[in-house]
Amino acid sequence: MPVPAARALLVLGTALALQLAPAAAAVARPVPAAPAAATVRITEGQVAETGPGGTIVYPSVTSCLTVTVRLRDGSKVGAHASLFQVPGAYRSDTILAAVKQRVGSRAVRAVEVRGAVGAWSPGYFTKAIEAYGDGEAVPYPTKPDPDGLRRAVAGGLGVPRAAVTVQDVPDGDQTVT
């Protein structure tokens, strides 16, 4: 290929890359907060947020845990952590990182963990049940471990343990206002 043609291809490739760079950067930016007073429904394996005055509804919490982060501005970021991964949703060992990313640098006032406390090993937040291979023993809880869950959630979110509360809640829908 003649040198001018190669140079032209290089210039064209660089121009295309520069045009695509802002679009790629836009994808990596945090999602803007939801409007105030919105009601958000968070199903298994999902993370979402509502603005100040909003409500989060977690439907059909049976063997799941919900994690609600109350931000200083009144907004809430919520996660519906499932024991078993729902296709296309977060696994239990990735959901706290997704919450932490969604919270970003905003100030956290409190974190509430609710649901089937006795069904959860704190380790499920670092290694999901699906991550265990053939022959590996999956840890099954023999009794509720609210303190272990508090430590796991606080560590996963990078918040003080004192900011996290854990409550065993019977099966059903959960509404957080």
Side-chain angles (χ1 to χ4, degrees), residues 143-163:
K143 64 180 182 165
D145 186 2
D147 290 332
L149 291 171
R150 181 179 295 110
R151 278 190 305 276
V153 171
L157 297 178
V159 300
R161 213 178 313 164

Side-chain angles (χ1 to χ4, degrees), residues 73-160:
D73 71 357
S75 300
K76 292 180 267 318
V77 176
H80 190 149
S82 179
L83 276 178
F84 299 98
Q85 183 181 20
V86 173
Y90 291 105
R91 282 188 351 186
S92 63
D93 57 359
T94 61
I95 203 160
L96 292 179
V99 170
K100 185 176 181 177
Q101 181 179 9
R102 186 78 181 234
V103 168
S105 62
R106 295 179 287 174
V108 173
R109 190 178 64 190
V111 180
E112 299 164 1
V113 179
R114 297 181 183 165
V117 172
W120 279 74
S121 167
Y124 295 162
F125 282 116
T126 54
K127 187 172 183 178
I129 291 172
E130 298 88 354
Y132 288 86
D134 291 338
E136 283 188 279
V138 177
Y140 291 106
T142 57
K143 64 180 182 165
D145 186 2
D147 290 332
L149 291 171
R150 181 179 295 110
R151 278 190 305 276
V153 171
L157 297 178
V159 300

